[in-house]
Amino acid sequence: MSSPFLLRHGAFLRFWLGQTASSLAYQMLVVGIGWQMYDLTDSALSLGLIGLAQFVPQLLLTLVAGHVADQYNRRVIVIVCRLVLAGTMGGLVYANLSGQLSPAIIYVCGALMGATRAFESPATQALLPNLITPDQFPRALALTSGTREATVIAGPALGGLVYLIGASWLYGASVVFFLVSALVLLSLQYEYQAPRKEPASLKSLFSGIHFIRDNPVVLGAISLDLFSVLLGGATALLPIVARDILHTGSWGLGLLRSAPALGALLMSIWLARFPLEKRVGKTMFYAVALFGLATIVFGLSQNLWLSMGALLVLGASDMVSVIIRSTLIQLETPDAMRGRVSAVNYIFIGTSNQLGEFESGITAAWFGVVPAIIIGGIGTLAVVALWMKVFPALTHRDKLSS
């Protein structure tokens, strides 16, 4: 079971607790900042600009952040990032209490969050393999991924409840969670070897891209995720599906939104108990194919419970792909390169999610909602078939660790 695994690995336990506290804080903030911005502006555009304010610095700084993660102590980087996030939320608390809060302040805080997370994400991803052995990595990744999905479900609900007391209380709670996550990591001990310092240069910044290009297993795994998410981003159309096709209200939309996260959570629990050991390459392709089939079923469904079931399967199959892809990327990459490779992977994940939502919106406008979802599912199946031929090293990969 997962709890004995946590107890046997003290360093990983502290890492996991820190991740849980930080993820919960962020998921609460998503609700609070969006709700307060809409209260201030009554504008849907302003909500989109919050996302843009976070995404732009993430995109611009990620390659630099990957270089930093490979040059300095990753634990220290994560601690500093979480302290900066706590300070940023403290600024929102002060602005609320003093009556000075404005949309501009929220945008600035959003940009600071995006910049900070650009440095935090590659450092966090590259730190985990330093805490455990390669054979323990899939189980540890399943636990952290499952916890993240749990916070995706619980965080917004908790944030909404706390926001009823007041926005300052929500931001204050986030400050506490970020501080807890930083303090937990202060006591994290592991064998740290200072890396050989390498001056920043274009060659160094782009070395992560070059490494991925020259490694067919890593390139195949990352690009498969990019195109499958790009084509299969049906969840962006959930509000339209809920109202116009399933004829349900906000409660039904809430159930639909939580279904993929619930499926991913249940699958992560299973994988933590029964880690993948053989035929991982084909398993990854089968999982992405199941993702595409579940997308097609969701597009064809006119029943709320069938749609929820399809989304549950979609989330579970995506979790299998995420665990295999993330494990292969981390274990195939030398430790000295993990920060930069994780940074490139972070760019691909963020880009695929953003562009996937855009693609779904465009195809829905052109062809209609149902055809757009079905086309996306079929496209995902086509990508799987093509990638199995183009990346035979990934297709025939047997074990996660080489």
Side-chain angles (χ1 to χ4, degrees):
M1 296 298 290
S2 60
S3 53
F5 177 85
L6 287 170
L7 294 174
R8 288 198 307 268
H9 302 84
F12 174 70
L13 174 59
R14 289 174 174 80
F15 176 88
W16 177 78
L17 289 173
Q19 284 294 99
T20 302
S22 176
S23 182
L24 191 59
Y26 182 76
Q27 294 300 330
M28 291 172 63
L29 288 175
V30 170
V31 171
I33 289 178
W35 193 275
Q36 189 167 38
M37 175 63 85
Y38 197 65
D39 273 346
L40 290 172
T41 64
D42 199 31
S43 167
L45 176 62
S46 63
L47 297 178
L49 292 176
I50 294 176
L52 184 64
Q54 295 183 62
F55 178 71
V56 170
Q58 284 180 347
L59 182 63
L60 295 178
L61 293 173
T62 298
L63 290 181
V64 176
H67 175 81
V68 171
D70 285 334
Q71 297 297 300
Y72 300 96
N73 190 314
R74 292 160 182 164
R75 180 180 70 94
V76 174
I77 294 172
V78 176
I79 290 173
V80 170
C81 287
R82 290 178 182 170
L83 290 176
V84 171
L85 287 168
T88 302
M89 293 307 102
L92 285 177
V93 173
Y94 174 79
N96 269 278
L97 294 177
S98 63
Q100 300 178 43
L101 188 73
S102 66
I105 290 177
I106 294 180
Y107 290 138
V108 170
C109 288
L112 284 172
M113 289 172 60
T116 305
R117 286 171 63 83
F119 284 89
E120 180 194 23
S121 181
T124 302
Q125 292 179 38
L127 175 61
L128 179 56
N130 299 144
L131 307 180
I132 49 179
T133 60
D135 62 299
Q136 297 164 345
F137 188 82
R139 177 173 292 181
L141 187 61
L143 286 170
T144 56
S145 299
T147 303
R148 183 182 64 246
E149 296 300 333
T151 61
V152 169
I153 298 172
L158 180 60
L161 289 174
V162 177
Y163 192 88
L164 293 175
I165 306 174
S168 298
W169 285 92
L170 186 146
Y171 300 136
S174 297
V175 170
V176 172
F177 280 122
F178 281 130
L179 289 177
V180 167
S181 69
L183 290 173
V184 167
L185 290 184
L186 281 174
S187 62
L188 189 155
Q189 296 181 354
Y190 67 102
E191 187 177 343
Y192 170 68
Q193 295 181 346
R196 181 176 61 86
K197 289 294 186 290
E198 180 180 355
S201 63
L202 287 178
K203 180 181 178 181
S204 172
L205 294 178
F206 285 90
S207 58
I209 295 176
H210 296 153
F211 176 85
I212 292 171
R213 182 195 62 192
D214 297 335
N215 189 310
V217 171
V218 176
L219 176 61
I222 290 179
S223 57
L224 176 66
D225 177 75
L226 170 65
F227 285 102
S228 62
V229 173
L230 181 64
L231 294 170
T235 53
L237 303 175
L238 282 180
I240 302 175
V241 171
R243 189 188 66 182
D244 297 340
I245 297 176
L246 301 179
H247 307 292
T248 185
S250 58
W251 68 274
L253 176 60
L255 291 175
L256 292 171
R257 284 201 178 278
S258 64
L262 179 59
L265 174 60
L266 294 174
M267 179 55 69
S268 68
I269 295 172
W270 175 266
L271 293 177
R273 181 65 180 86
F274 303 102
L276 297 166
E277 295 180 353
K278 295 182 178 181
R279 297 166 54 88
V280 296
K282 289 183 179 178
T283 300
M284 180 179 181
F285 282 113
Y286 295 156
V288 177
L290 184 59
F291 179 93
L293 289 173
T295 300
I296 294 173
V297 172
F298 175 72
L300 293 172
S301 172
Q302 295 185 349
N303 178 275
L304 175 62
W305 304 110
L306 177 59
S307 297
M308 283 184 60
L311 292 175
L312 197 75
V313 172
L314 183 148
S317 59
D318 184 54
M319 178 56 67
V320 174
S321 172
V322 166
I323 296 297
I324 297 175
R325 184 191 77 246
S326 300
T327 303
L328 287 175
I329 291 170
Q330 294 298 332
L331 298 186
E332 285 287 307
T333 305
D335 186 63
M337 288 287 299
R338 281 190 177 125
R340 281 164 285 186
V341 171
S342 296
V344 176
N345 185 42
Y346 185 59
I347 291 176
F348 275 106
I349 293 172
T351 302
S352 63
N353 287 328
Q354 299 287 337
L355 293 181
E357 293 181 3
F358 177 72
E359 179 272 339
S360 295
I362 290 294
T363 53
W366 287 348
F367 306 113
V369 174
V370 172
I373 296 173
I374 295 173
I375 289 171
I378 294 173
T380 299
L381 295 177
V383 167
V384 169
L386 178 61
W387 256 237
M388 290 184 76
K389 297 292 185 182
V390 174
F391 296 98
L394 178 59
T395 304
H396 300 295
R397 181 64 177 256
D398 187 45
K399 296 184 180 297
L400 288 169
S401 57
S402 56

